[in-house]
């Protein structure tokens, strides 16, 4: 875990003044650390009966797809508006300034199918909450939210409607 922590690069004032961006590209670039990260994010769900793993565009995709393979599950992309080709539903969420939204294919999961959601960072929780709404909206059973980094001081986990969160690294 220390090895993973030491590979996270803090970028002050990116993408805007006052934000310290947690850059995980050095972790992804290191094959041993990348493997450790995927195994540790997947491990809590080994016996959870997960049949699909949903990743949030774009950094969530890099973690969700290998976690899906590790769990013997399929992959669901949650994408920015206008990118998915089939029938979609859309969920808006608040950013610090303005709103954004995510979309899912209406047939991405079957009714009652157990789905794990994955992203790299949870900050204010708006993105994660929208992901939970999209999946429950199409009838999925969201078993958890697996995230590499949780920024505890922003309180995002409280927005997840009771979906349990597993974070590998937490910053106070
Ligand atoms: P939020 O909706 O505020 O929880 O923001 C979460 C989304 O924004 C995630 O998809 C992250 O990739 C990204 N994000 C927010 N804050 C940071 C940060 N400090 N460092 C890296 N990514 C961030």
């Amino acid at each position: 875990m220390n090895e993973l922590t030491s590979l996270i690069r803090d970028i002050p004032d990116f993408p805007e003044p006052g934000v310290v961006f947690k850059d995980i590209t050095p972790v992804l670039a290191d094959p041993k650390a990348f493997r450790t990260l995927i195994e540790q994010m997947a491990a809590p769900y080994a016996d959870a009966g997960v049949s699909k793993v949903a990743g949030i565009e774009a950094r969530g995709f890099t973690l969700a797809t290998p976690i899906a393979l590790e769990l013997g599950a399929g992959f669901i992309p949650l994408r920015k508006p206008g990118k998915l080709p089939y029938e979609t539903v859309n969920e808006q969420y608040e950013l610090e300034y303005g709103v954004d939204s995510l979309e899912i294919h209406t047939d991405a999961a079957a009714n009652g199918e157990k789905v794990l959601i994955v992203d790299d960072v949870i900050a204010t929780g708006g993105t994660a909450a929208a992901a939970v709404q999209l999946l429950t909206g199409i009838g999925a059973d969201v078993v958890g939210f697996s995230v590499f980094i949780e920024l505890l001081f922003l309180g995002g986990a409280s927005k997840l409607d009771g979906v349990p969160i597993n974070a590998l690294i937490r910053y106070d």
Side-chain angles (χ1 to χ4, degrees), residues 19-23 56-57 59 93-95 119-128 151:
V19 174
V20 179
F21 191 86
K22 298 291 182 190
D23 177 18
I56 301 173
E57 185 174 358
R59 285 183 301 277
Y93 57 96
E94 305 226 342
L95 299 173
D119 205 0
D120 63 336
V121 174
I122 183 168
T124 65
T127 312
L151 304 179

Side-chain angles (χ1 to χ4, degrees), residues 49-114:
V50 169
S51 56
K52 296 265 169 62
V53 176
I56 301 173
E57 185 174 358
R59 285 183 301 277
F61 290 177
T62 63
L63 305 179
T65 47
I67 290 170
L69 293 175
E70 181 81 9
L71 293 174
F75 169 72
I76 300 173
L78 303 177
R79 298 210 61 181
K80 299 286 165 62
K83 303 285 189 185
L84 288 170
Y86 182 62
E87 217 174 272
T88 58
V89 277
N90 176 294
E91 183 73 29
Q92 282 201 344
Y93 57 96
E94 305 226 342
L95 299 173
E96 202 174 348
Y97 302 102
V99 293
D100 207 343
S101 68
L102 280 177
E103 291 183 352
I104 191 171
H105 274 153
T106 50
D107 65 349
N111 224 7
E113 191 169 7
K114 289 189 189 308

